[in-house]
Amino acid sequence: MIYLLSDLDFSLPLSNPVVVFSLVLFIILFAPILFNKIKVPHIIGLILAGMIVGPYGLNLLLRDSSIVLFGTVGLLYIMFTAGLEIDLEEFRKNRITSLVFGLFTFLLPIGLGSVAVYYVLNFSWPTAILVASMFATHTLLAYPIASKYGINRIRSVTLTIGGTIITDILALLVLAAVIGTTRGDIDATFWVQLAISTLVFGAIIFFVFPLIARWFFKKFEDAVSQYIFVLAMVFLGAFLAELAGLEHIIGAFLAGLALNRFIPHSSALMNRIEFVGNAFFIPFFLISVGMLIDFSVLFKGLGALKVAAVMTVLGVLTKYLAALLTQKTFRLSPLERGMIYGLSTARVGATLAIVLVGYNIIIGETPTGEPIRLLNEDVLNGTIIMILITCTISSFVVERTAQQLALQEENVPRDEGDSNERILISLAYPDTVTELIDFGMMLKPRHSNVPVYALNIISDESDNGKTKTIAKKMMDKAVHHAAATEQTILPLTRFDVNVSNGIIYTLKEQNITDLIIGLHRSANQHNFLGATADSILRHTSETIFIYKSVQPFNTLKRLVVVVTIKAELEPGFAHWFSKLTTIAKEAGLPIDFFATPETIKELQDQQAAQKAEVKISCHAFSNWDDFLIFSREVKKDDLLVIVSSRKDHVSYQPSLEKLPYYLSNYFGSNSFIMLYPQQVERGIKMDDVQFVDGSLAETISDSVAQVSKAGRLWKRLFRKV
């Protein structure tokens, strides 16, 4: 043993790759635990750990190319996940707010900073402007904290992310302008080339990337392949940004924005992305930042100390003023201001890029032959101190504010109906388990405790031995797939006379509100829904979704919802509208409704009442004999949803009988959902219940045309029967 140990090199800094990697992993494991015990955010714990083991601490690790590589990956990962997790609809609504905040958080630091650096530190104007541009930039270092508390999609976080991109782009343009002016090689051609390359880069990111992603996710379902593809697209975006003359962090963020709708927040792929980033890449980046910090510079003279003090005070103050102005301009709450300030205070990525570029530019020589740099060592060391202090402030502020905002979100009154919701997914074929589970999870509101059940029926008509084996495999696959998304499926296996009876009695026993079943394999225009679905529709009143999946949900572009006449008079109208908007929000899809003017008005009222945060368009459609016009309207990547009705109910119409023919012959290449709204009572038919008022008896069907709200209709029904 002693002989073997003598062959190992334990000289400092450590060079054995096995030992180095092991040490880093133990730091990632234990540093957050130790620092959390003294109430220090884990982000600061990792930075301090990097400082301790780095070249300016115990010198255990050298900040070599491998540390720089993984650190760069971690920085890009933070920006990518910020773009990936952003709520696109919220981002669209707050785009003006983001723009204004971006201008505030750029103009205030660079304006006040330039003047202060010029007069207090006695730097030249080009140097002063370049130093001030470092005040203007910021890094979303504390974004993982907001994500951990589940508030990464709220307004203050979304507008800060948008403002980050704006201020970093402007700061990097200042860097290009100052360097070009210093070297004397900047002219109109430079700006024209930069503008053209930026436009080309933007076109590739927002038009070519989605085409590639949609093709890939349609063709490849392997989990490992999908993750590697996403990572490759992130680094391709970062590389293209550098080719365009921009910073790589901009490319990573925009790549996340372009892939946003292809990776639903509740998907297994999103869970893998977050897991790998939080477990490995992002901690590596934080450790690499800590290894840059050298506190000894504070004792080498007043120059670095003075620069560090000025930079830190201005950096913290100007970001607070920008957050305060944004709050006053848009009447935000103090907590929202705190979140904006916390997220925008930390400097790492773009700041380091600016100071290192400026430090490496030689603008002259001293009489003794020493180089004169655009940014001297005092600025370099002061920047490192500013990075540590601003990252510490950012982490503490975001940690405290995120806790309060998370509590505030939990205390927001929820729809009482959600507490009674239960979703049941009926599984019949092994090859459709994944699609049905994904769809079922999308029906469940985010952060909701709505239980989701997976059911398989073993009927007396089947070969029990073989069926049991298939049922077990399906249930195992369903539970495993749900677990990959950090969701829970409650598996149910039932023995019954036939499948429809098993499903019907399970609905009663478990108080199910929403049932999902797949379209049977041999569906055609003569036997479209099948005997099982027909029986379920006749004997149940719950909301039923009959789903046929042709392509993965994350490759769809929009929901096209065709609503039957008088659908607004059905008691389940508000419920199915809520479910469709939940699906659209989770998948990042717009909804195009086609309905009568009366139904459209009710849809718009529901959108306002439920505060549905999705993009909705409404189009008049009432002649169901012209249903084939949707063969032109519905594109290949659209999901067609038909809000139908059970027979003998208020929104039923004979034209619905033609749907099997249309769907079988004209929409075979489309994914679609047949949606049957919830009814009041099973077995109640419109012709069986009459009003008795002492004069002429009127049926409910005759009265429906005079009633505008479904609730009023059913209250009158129960009052008079």
Side-chain angles (χ1 to χ4, degrees), residues 4 50 72 85 121 166 225 256 275 285 343 371 409 462 540 556 560 570 636 664 677 686 720:
L4 292 175
T72 302
E85 294 181 350
L121 299 180
I166 293 168
S225 298
F275 173 79
F285 164 66
L343 286 174
E409 288 283 304
S462 59
T540 62
L556 299 170
V560 177
E570 298 281 9
K636 182 179 180 181
S664 299
M686 301 298 294
K720 292 198 173 187

Side-chain angles (χ1 to χ4, degrees), residues 165 169 193-211 236-246 250-251 253-255 257-259:
I165 300 305
I169 289 175
Q193 289 177 345
L194 181 62
I196 293 174
S197 62
T198 302
L199 289 175
V200 172
F201 163 70
I204 293 173
I205 289 289
F206 290 112
F207 294 102
V208 178
F209 271 35
L211 291 176
L236 178 59
F239 172 68
L240 292 176
E242 291 186 334
L243 282 183
L246 303 173
I250 306 298
F253 172 79
L254 294 182
L257 214 56
L259 297 177

Side-chain angles (χ1 to χ4, degrees), residues 401-451:
T401 308
Q403 290 176 354
Q404 295 173 324
L405 283 170
L407 288 173
Q408 193 179 78
E409 288 283 304
E410 288 181 3
N411 293 329
V412 173
R414 306 293 181 185
D415 185 355
E416 294 181 359
D418 288 351
S419 61
N420 299 320
E421 289 182 13
R422 291 168 180 261
I423 299 169
L424 177 67
I425 306 169
S426 177
L427 303 177
Y429 308 115
D431 55 347
T432 61
V433 169
T434 300
E435 291 82 359
L436 291 176
I437 295 297
D438 285 340
F439 179 51
M441 290 303 179
M442 285 191 177
L443 283 183
K444 175 182 176 180
R446 189 174 300 147
H447 308 306
S448 167
N449 293 322
V450 172

Side-chain angles (χ1 to χ4, degrees), residues 376-387:
N376 59 30
E377 289 187 1
D378 287 342
V379 175
L380 177 62
N381 294 325
T383 301
I384 301 301
I385 301 304
M386 180 185 70
I387 286 174

